[in-house]
Amino acid sequence: MKVSVAMAYYNGGEYINEQLSSILSQLGEEDEVILSVDAADDGSEKLLKKRAEEDARIHLLRGPGKGVVKNFASAITHCSGDVIFLSDQDDIWWDDKVKTVLRAFQEKGTAAVVHNAEIIDEHGEKTGEPDLFAMRGSHAGLWKNFLKNSYVGCCMAFRRELLPVILPIPERMYMHDYWIGTAAELCGGVTFIGQPLIGYRRHGGNVTELSHGSLWFMLKKRMNILRCLFVLKKRAAQRRKLKSTK
């Protein structure tokens, strides 16, 4: 089973070296890391090129430069693996992440896997805060995740078969991970692993925050999500119809 790692990169030079090392140590010779680069203006361009020259499993792409959702979509589009892992640029993968997630895919009907994470600081030290599942009350369920999203991208992997349902991601959809997790729920199911498999790094430069926005912001986004869900359900229904005719 070939593994692809899709990473959206934006000026992440401070932590990318450690993150790439933690990922590559778990991959096989035929696996790959697809790194879509929106910007490397922080002096990290040379580092990325050097890592790619040293390890042929790293593939650097020019990102679309239109935000994190489109950058992840760019990386995902270029993945060739049977299972696609999403990765942030600044976390640390614990040693048993890949094998534990791949084992979960052996369960019948599993279209995606979501695992737990420990919170670490900018130095990679555990903060002692509750783990990510405890913070977000993580579990499957369309209504639950509409109200409070459990699908945090850096903790997710999904089967390649979902790509026709996932792509393209609608313009109104501001959470690629929620979109992918919901697609998986509609197309088979999601397995949750309570074991923390990464260090989820919190620092001043994070794109994703654990806190919510204003009430108006949340209402507006939920309305956009509802509009997008009609598109997603239609694609999932088309996929089921296609599979039933084979």
Side-chain angles (χ1 to χ4, degrees), residues 213-223:
S214 67
L215 178 60
W216 168 244
F217 173 85
M218 298 304 294
L219 288 173
K220 181 180 178 182
K221 294 302 182 183
R222 290 301 178 276
M223 291 302 297

Side-chain angles (χ1 to χ4, degrees), residues 217-233:
F217 173 85
M218 298 304 294
L219 288 173
K220 181 180 178 182
K221 294 302 182 183
R222 290 301 178 276
M223 291 302 297
N224 284 338
I225 288 172
L226 282 174
R227 295 186 180 99
C228 292
L229 286 179
F230 286 109
V231 176
L232 190 58
K233 287 183 177 181

Side-chain angles (χ1 to χ4, degrees), residues 77-137:
T77 299
H78 289 85
C79 288
S80 61
D82 304 298
V83 172
I84 299 171
F85 286 69
L86 301 180
S87 175
D88 287 350
Q89 63 193 21
D90 47 8
D91 299 325
I92 303 173
W93 286 21
W94 298 156
D95 291 341
D96 51 355
K97 165 167 169 147
V98 171
K99 67 179 181 181
T100 302
V101 171
L102 291 181
R103 191 182 307 124
F105 275 107
Q106 296 175 8
E107 296 184 25
K108 185 177 180 181
T110 297
V113 172
V114 182
H115 64 73
N116 206 350
E118 294 174 290
I119 311 301
I120 60 175
D121 62 20
E122 65 269 24
H123 306 295
E125 301 293 331
K126 297 177 184 179
T127 65
E129 297 174 79
D131 60 41
L132 198 61
F133 276 19
M135 284 186 175
R136 306 188 76 88

Side-chain angles (χ1 to χ4, degrees), residues 186-234:
L186 294 172
C187 296
V190 181
T191 295
F192 281 74
I193 300 174
Q195 176 186 354
L197 296 178
I198 68 167
Y200 186 71
R201 198 189 304 261
R202 310 312 301 161
H203 56 86
N206 284 109
V207 173
T208 303
E209 296 296 337
L210 294 176
S211 59
H212 292 293
S214 67
L215 178 60
W216 168 244
F217 173 85
M218 298 304 294
L219 288 173
K220 181 180 178 182
K221 294 302 182 183
R222 290 301 178 276
M223 291 302 297
N224 284 338
I225 288 172
L226 282 174
R227 295 186 180 99
C228 292
L229 286 179
F230 286 109
V231 176
L232 190 58
K233 287 183 177 181
K234 183 177 180 180

